[in-house]
Amino acid sequence: VCGLGLPSTPIQRIALLRIQSRAQLGRGAFDAAAASFRKMGELTGGRVATPDLAPYAQALYATRRETQGRKLLEIALGLPEPPLEAVILFARHEAERDPKRAEEVVTKALAANPHHPALLEEAASFDLAAGRDEQAKARLAAAIAASPGFAPLNVTLARVQLQTGDP
């Protein structure tokens, strides 16, 4: 007989739900993940723990509950050191609605994490949208130098070079 029983305390249930929600996100079961996060909120009186803000927002965006997802990201972005996952999600989901704020959020995060590949990729997207093609290429080249094994950066740089007539 295994010594593991059903979680009996709220803390144990929250821990199990946290593991469950991450597994659900990983396999793309976004409705189930959102339900797991909602159950955690019920156990905590509606509070969402800092490590859960971005993953919960991800599940909400994926299930077309953008307003709820945005609210969670706003909480995360209001922290003294916003989680990078929240910054990246905000840039990817809110750049069309609020491009200036999305670029500001990414720029601020880049100042503290200048070699983060996903942040550099997002910053390059803003550069391209603003017509700063050479800056976008330079950012991506620097990101590739810092993380040569991160293939998406190479693909993005190749796409940018093709778009700007530099095959």
Side-chain angles (χ1 to χ4, degrees):
V1 173
C2 177
L4 297 176
L6 292 175
S8 58
T9 67
I11 291 173
Q12 291 172 331
R13 287 193 291 272
I14 290 168
L16 183 61
L17 285 166
R18 184 167 286 125
I19 292 166
Q20 179 177 301
S21 65
R22 296 308 195 279
Q24 291 162 330
L25 279 176
R27 69 175 198 269
F30 299 112
D31 281 316
S36 294
F37 284 115
R38 187 175 53 255
K39 288 178 190 171
M40 276 193 275
E42 290 168 3
L43 291 169
T44 61
R47 291 184 309 275
V48 178
T50 300
D52 297 327
L53 289 168
Y56 192 1
Q58 178 185 2
L60 292 169
Y61 276 105
T63 56
R64 298 179 185 227
R65 292 179 262 186
E66 291 87 2
T67 302
Q68 292 172 288
R70 186 178 313 114
K71 286 179 184 176
L72 291 176
L73 290 182
E74 290 293 351
I75 293 168
L77 295 175
L79 296 171
E81 292 183 33
L84 294 182
E85 186 180 13
V87 170
I88 293 163
L89 276 172
F90 188 85
R92 291 181 180 165
H93 290 284
E94 297 296 327
E96 189 173 312
R97 191 181 69 78
D98 191 352
K100 184 179 179 202
R101 172 109 192 283
E103 186 171 9
E104 288 170 358
V105 166
V106 168
T107 300
K108 184 177 178 185
L110 257 178
N113 304 277
H115 302 294
H116 192 280
L119 287 175
L120 287 163
E121 189 172 8
E122 293 304 319
S125 295
F126 292 118
D127 290 337
L128 285 174
R132 301 182 302 254
D133 299 350
E134 293 307 313
Q135 186 171 340
K137 290 180 201 177
R139 273 189 208 273
L140 290 168
I144 290 167
S147 300
F150 192 66
L153 289 172
N154 289 290
V155 172
T156 302
L157 179 57
R159 190 183 77 241
V160 167
Q161 288 175 317
L162 285 172
Q163 288 174 345
T164 60
D166 182 15

